[in-house]
Amino acid sequence: MRALEFSIQKKDPTSRARLGCIKTAHGNIETPIFMPVGTRAVVKCVTNQQLDSIGAQIILSNTYHLMIRPGIEILALAGGLHSFMKWDKPILTDSGGFQVFSLAELNKVNDDGVHFHSHIDGKKLFIGPNESMEMQKVIGSDIVMCFDECPPYPVDEAKLKEGVRRTLKWAEICRAYPLAPHQSLFGIVQGGVDNELRAQCAQELVKLDFPGYAIGGLSVGEPAELMYEIIDAVEPHLPDSKPRYLMGVGTPHNIVEAVKRGIDMFDCVMPTRAARGGTAYTWQGKIQIKAGRYAKDFSPFDPELDSYASKFSKAYIRHLLNVDEITGLTLVTIQNLAFYLDFMRQLRTAIQEGSFADFHRRIAEIYPK
Amino acid sequence: MRALEFSIQKKDPTSRARLGCIKTAHGNIETPIFMPVGTRAVVKCVTNQQLDSIGAQIILSNTYHLMIRPGIEILALAGGLHSFMKWDKPILTDSGGFQVFSLAELNKVNDDGVHFHSHIDGKKLFIGPNESMEMQKVIGSDIVMCFDECPPYPVDEAKLKEGVRRTLKWAEICRAYPLAPHQSLFGIVQGGVDNELRAQCAQELVKLDFPGYAIGGLSVGEPAELMYEIIDAVEPHLPDSKPRYLMGVGTPHNIVEAVKRGIDMFDCVMPTRAARGGTAYTWQGKIQIKAGRYAKDFSPFDPELDSYASKFSKAYIRHLLNVDEITGLTLVTIQNLAFYLDFMRQLRTAIQEGSFADFHRRIAEIYPK
């Protein structure tokens, strides 16, 4: 069981897009990749079997949520998350940082870490860099994220600088933590929408020589153009030979724009969350499948996609959601994730075949935002 | 596309249990069989793929619910229920009788049929024997049920007799209705818990020479012993060469008792409904999987069952239900239906191998009620 190895197979001559492969102890990940989100040891509304059938190569899970329920003790007894949820492919876990800053009721943040209250039962809890590493070691994820401070957007400059200082301090502590041999730790670049601060943070992190780097704290309400600008400011400072992960992003359009700027990995709750609200991602664009216009539309859910869900008629899927049948949520979730994974597959093929610019235009037409 | 053919392969020498096969235009059904309930064009919480994987041979759907939503017009446009829900194996539909008497707000019942209000939006609706046949013809189910009057339990004698008289009158109208060539109509024996009335009803129905017979109006609150007594009273009047279906039954114990009395077909919402409440049917008995005692129980959900769901740990399934993850409901539903179908499979093997009496004892131990 070794840590990850990253190789680049091809670079797009018209942009900074790269085609690569991350080798992990639990299997290979072809990049650029989208990671379905399995917050609480499951990707909502689907089974692992269904994830397998649509070609999911890696999933993301959330340390904060796992810590609250089922709790780290249960995961330790289970022998880690792979074994607990019976998912034998790679897993990436976030550090808990994002959730303690966005979900929990904060008590106190200092250089040791964050004192907070559980968003479920109000219980007093603490996570610092060592605690986050300890938990992620028990979880046994293949890719482990540094514990970082996630500022809100917008935020004042002093707080932003303080957050970056702390993020770097914690990154050093995390880097020194002895994870399991199969685990690889990614550093997280913070710095809000301050290009200079972002660049400094990236430079400092690179000195710690992480196996991979993430850009965090984006897609939190700032305009997409600003997000692209930040990627442009950070990317030149990241080593070419390491995978880059843009956390929590995003729409198909966002993803293709970020790939163009040299990003390799993505995660987002959008396809799974939207599914539960009846929004479907298809090769014909985003559709509200509950709309009355689909009541008698017997055309396939997505004629251009070869997934189990895509073959049912729009009228059938609409009926299921209309009568609150859970299987409807499952089928829309499969459609949305299958679309995202097929979109990434086609994106990789486009880089391989030298047609990335065409692919970019095509996506921008189907998903203008 | 022909109507059904029923053959008996073996009879149990110690009871009236029979091993048989129903051939339909959509495939064969090995009897005794359990039919998962797909009320609104879907078996709750699972996909057809999952039903296939656990060996479901036929499902039941409800004319009343389909009539309300998506509506018969949609099903006609879809080319029938098989096509609408993409289930290519046999389907049995009930007539709507049970639901108009149990769910809807009744307006008027007369010899023409039932005027009632939709339980969803209060809309005035009517179903008579011809309307029920017309709808089931559009639905295209392989096995069609006669429109019958379902009395409550308990009920006074006059009303019961009136109900049987009407059920027989309607049965005659249904029998004369020209269904599609692939469809087969079953008569339904009513008569509450009155043995004599039940026997009379069966005799009258048999004169109409149906391709199969059902016993309806049981498992509505009467003691199980009374139900077995009614089966004993009815069964001798049913032709040996036709399949017999006990509607809405029941527990594994009920089923084995009914098979012993010559019944071939069963349906019940119990395994699917119980799943959504966290009750699991396993070869180790019925368990409340949300119970605290399973929090650290990493043994398989059902070590004696070979289904996708059965391999997850009890602790994992409990966690999913505990945090309200929909996938948890899916996995318990798969477990419960897989158990029921495996139970029926083993029951058939027991008849085949001449060990039905042993199997009966085994089930009575695991499921005493």
Side-chain angles (χ1 to χ4, degrees):
Chain A
M1 301 271 277
R2 288 174 313 167
L4 70 80
E5 284 170 26
F6 179 60
S7 58
I8 294 175
Q9 269 112 47
K10 186 145 185 179
K11 288 187 178 184
D12 176 52
T14 69
S15 72
R16 301 199 298 281
R18 319 111 58 88
L19 183 74
C21 180
I22 301 173
K23 289 188 183 176
T24 79
H26 288 96
N28 295 351
I29 306 154
E30 297 164 278
T31 61
I33 192 73
F34 178 81
M35 304 182 279
V37 178
T39 302
R40 299 185 295 196
V42 66
V43 175
K44 283 192 198 303
C45 299
V46 293
T47 64
N48 295 345
Q49 215 171 37
Q50 288 164 335
L51 286 176
D52 260 337
S53 78
I54 57 174
Q57 299 184 40
I58 172 172
I59 60 168
L60 176 146
S61 196
N62 298 97
T63 298
Y64 170 85
H65 289 286
L66 294 175
M67 165 195 188
I68 304 282
R69 294 181 302 192
I72 296 300
E73 185 200 355
I74 301 280
L75 289 167
L77 291 170
L81 183 59
H82 285 94
S83 158
F84 184 59
M85 67 182 288
K86 292 204 176 294
W87 173 257
D88 57 9
K89 293 185 181 173
I91 297 175
L92 179 149
T93 41
D94 67 4
S95 65
F98 179 75
Q99 282 77 22
V100 295
F101 285 98
S102 62
L103 271 186
E105 193 196 324
L106 288 184
N107 198 338
K108 205 174 71 180
V109 185
N110 62 29
D111 281 6
D112 293 336
V114 184
H115 295 266
F116 62 98
H117 294 272
S118 157
H119 75 291
I120 297 297
D121 60 7
K123 196 174 160 188
K124 279 188 184 182
L125 297 163
F126 174 79
I127 306 183
N130 280 308
E131 289 73 16
S132 175
M133 290 303 105
E134 205 180 325
M135 289 192 284
Q136 292 184 77
K137 187 174 186 175
V138 169
I139 291 168
S141 40
D142 301 274
I143 300 177
V144 168
M145 300 305 297
C146 278
F147 188 67
D148 58 340
E149 179 163 333
C150 302
Y153 172 81
V155 67
D156 68 57
E157 207 190 314
K159 275 202 181 140
L160 196 61
K161 282 192 170 162
E162 177 71 356
V164 168
R165 184 191 61 78
R166 214 169 257 149
T167 292
L168 288 168
K169 186 182 166 76
W170 291 346
E172 212 167 325
I173 297 170
C174 293
R175 189 74 181 111
Y177 191 94
L179 292 168
H182 77 281
Q183 297 186 295
S184 301
L185 180 67
F186 278 29
I188 305 178
V189 179
Q190 290 289 356
V193 292
D194 181 328
N195 289 356
E196 218 165 296
L197 199 56
R198 284 277 183 180
Q200 278 172 27
C201 184
Q203 286 162 352
E204 291 303 314
L205 283 175
V206 170
K207 290 180 188 161
L208 296 172
D209 189 26
F210 286 98
Y213 296 88
I215 305 180
L218 287 180
S219 201
V220 291
E222 81 287 353
E225 288 309 321
L226 215 48
M227 174 168 83
Y228 304 145
E229 203 187 305
I230 297 298
I231 304 171
D232 285 333
V234 169
E235 191 269 347
H237 302 286
L238 301 178
D240 198 56
S241 61
K242 301 290 170 70
R244 294 96 170 255
Y245 162 32
L246 181 59
M247 303 179 82
V249 175
T251 67
H253 192 107
N254 293 155
I255 290 177
V256 77
E257 289 287 346
V259 165
K260 186 178 152 189
R261 291 169 169 82
I263 302 295
D264 308 300
M265 301 168 70
F266 301 89
D267 80 285
C268 192
V269 294
M270 208 181 289
T272 38
R273 183 174 290 168
R276 300 194 301 282
T279 298
Y281 287 84
T282 77
W283 277 111
Q284 299 79 54
K286 202 158 82 168
I287 63 177
Q288 304 300 329
I289 195 66
K290 287 169 90 168
R293 87 183 74 106
Y294 298 117
K296 296 175 187 176
D297 184 341
F298 297 99
S299 68
F301 196 6
D302 188 345
E304 293 174 72
L305 186 61
D306 183 28
S307 92
Y308 175 68
S310 314
K311 294 170 166 77
F312 291 93
S313 70
K314 295 184 180 78
Y316 181 63
I317 302 287
R318 177 188 182 269
H319 161 66
L320 293 182
L321 294 188
N322 203 32
V323 296
D324 295 323
E325 284 285 353
I326 278 175
T327 309
L329 304 183
T330 298
L331 292 176
V332 185
T333 302
I334 294 175
Q335 164 64 35
N336 287 2
L337 288 177
F339 168 78
Y340 261 73
L341 295 171
D342 189 49
F343 154 65
M344 298 306 290
R345 205 178 294 120
Q346 293 198 29
L347 188 158
R348 291 193 296 270
T349 304
I351 301 174
Q352 179 68 51
E353 295 177 350
S355 57
F356 178 73
D358 291 342
F359 183 79
H360 183 283
R361 270 191 296 275
R362 182 178 164 214
I363 291 300
E365 268 171 36
I366 308 174
Y367 288 93
K369 280 191 285 192
Chain B
M1 299 272 274
R2 286 176 314 167
L4 69 79
E5 283 169 28
F6 179 60
S7 58
I8 294 175
Q9 270 111 49
K10 186 147 185 178
K11 288 186 179 185
D12 176 53
T14 69
S15 72
R16 299 198 298 282
R18 317 109 61 85
L19 183 74
C21 180
I22 301 172
K23 289 188 183 175
T24 79
H26 287 97
N28 295 352
I29 306 154
E30 297 164 277
T31 61
I33 191 74
F34 178 81
M35 304 181 278
V37 178
T39 301
R40 298 184 297 194
V42 67
V43 175
K44 283 191 198 303
C45 298
V46 292
T47 65
N48 295 345
Q49 213 170 39
Q50 288 163 335
L51 286 176
D52 260 337
S53 78
I54 57 173
Q57 299 185 38
I58 173 172
I59 61 168
L60 176 146
S61 195
N62 299 95
T63 297
Y64 170 84
H65 289 286
L66 294 175
M67 167 194 186
I68 304 281
R69 293 181 303 191
I72 297 301
E73 186 201 353
I74 302 280
L75 289 168
L77 290 170
L81 183 58
H82 284 94
S83 159
F84 184 59
M85 67 181 288
K86 292 204 178 294
W87 172 257
D88 58 9
K89 293 184 182 174
I91 297 175
L92 179 150
T93 41
D94 66 4
S95 64
F98 180 74
Q99 282 77 20
V100 294
F101 286 99
S102 64
L103 271 185
E105 192 194 324
L106 288 183
N107 197 336
K108 205 173 71 181
V109 185
N110 62 29
D111 281 6
D112 292 336
V114 184
H115 296 266
F116 62 98
H117 294 272
S118 157
H119 75 291
I120 296 298
D121 59 8
K123 197 175 160 188
K124 279 188 184 180
L125 296 165
F126 173 79
I127 307 184
N130 280 307
E131 289 72 17
S132 175
M133 290 304 104
E134 206 181 322
M135 290 192 285
Q136 292 185 77
K137 188 174 185 175
V138 169
I139 291 168
S141 40
D142 301 274
I143 300 178
V144 169
M145 300 305 295
C146 278
F147 188 67
D148 59 338
E149 179 163 333
C150 303
Y153 173 82
V155 64
D156 68 57
E157 207 191 314
K159 274 199 182 144
L160 196 60
K161 282 192 170 163
E162 176 70 357
V164 168
R165 184 191 62 78
R166 215 169 257 150
T167 291
L168 288 169
K169 187 183 165 75
W170 290 347
E172 212 167 325
I173 297 169
C174 293
R175 189 73 181 110
Y177 191 94
L179 292 167
H182 77 282
Q183 297 187 294
S184 301
L185 180 66
F186 278 30
I188 305 179
V189 179
Q190 289 289 354
V193 292
D194 181 327
N195 289 357
E196 217 165 296
L197 199 56
R198 285 275 182 181
Q200 278 171 27
C201 184
Q203 286 162 352
E204 291 303 315
L205 283 175
V206 170
K207 289 179 190 164
L208 295 172
D209 189 26
F210 285 99
Y213 297 88
I215 304 180
L218 288 179
S219 202
V220 290
E222 80 287 353
E225 288 309 321
L226 216 47
M227 175 169 82
Y228 305 145
E229 202 185 306
I230 297 298
I231 304 172
D232 285 333
V234 168
E235 191 267 348
H237 303 286
L238 301 178
D240 198 57
S241 61
K242 302 289 170 71
R244 295 95 170 256
Y245 162 31
L246 181 60
M247 303 180 81
V249 174
T251 66
H253 193 107
N254 294 156
I255 290 177
V256 77
E257 288 288 346
V259 165
K260 186 179 151 189
R261 290 168 169 82
I263 302 295
D264 309 300
M265 301 168 69
F266 301 89
D267 80 285
C268 192
V269 295
M270 208 180 289
T272 38
R273 183 175 292 167
R276 301 194 301 280
T279 298
Y281 287 84
T282 76
W283 277 113
Q284 298 79 53
K286 202 158 80 167
I287 63 175
Q288 304 301 330
I289 195 66
K290 288 169 90 168
R293 88 182 74 107
Y294 298 117
K296 296 175 186 176
D297 184 341
F298 297 98
S299 68
F301 196 6
D302 188 346
E304 292 173 73
L305 186 61
D306 182 28
S307 92
Y308 176 67
S310 315
K311 294 170 164 78
F312 290 93
S313 70
K314 295 185 180 76
Y316 181 64
I317 301 286
R318 178 188 182 270
H319 161 67
L320 293 183
L321 295 188
N322 203 33
V323 295
D324 295 322
E325 284 285 354
I326 278 176
T327 309
L329 304 183
T330 298
L331 292 176
V332 185
T333 302
I334 294 174
Q335 164 64 34
N336 287 3
L337 288 177
F339 169 78
Y340 260 73
L341 295 171
D342 188 48
F343 154 64
M344 298 307 289
R345 204 177 295 120
Q346 294 199 28
L347 187 158
R348 291 192 297 269
T349 304
I351 301 175
Q352 180 68 51
E353 295 176 350
S355 57
F356 178 73
D358 291 343
F359 182 79
H360 183 284
R361 271 190 296 275
R362 182 177 163 215
I363 291 300
E365 269 172 36
I366 308 174
Y367 288 93
K369 278 192 287 191

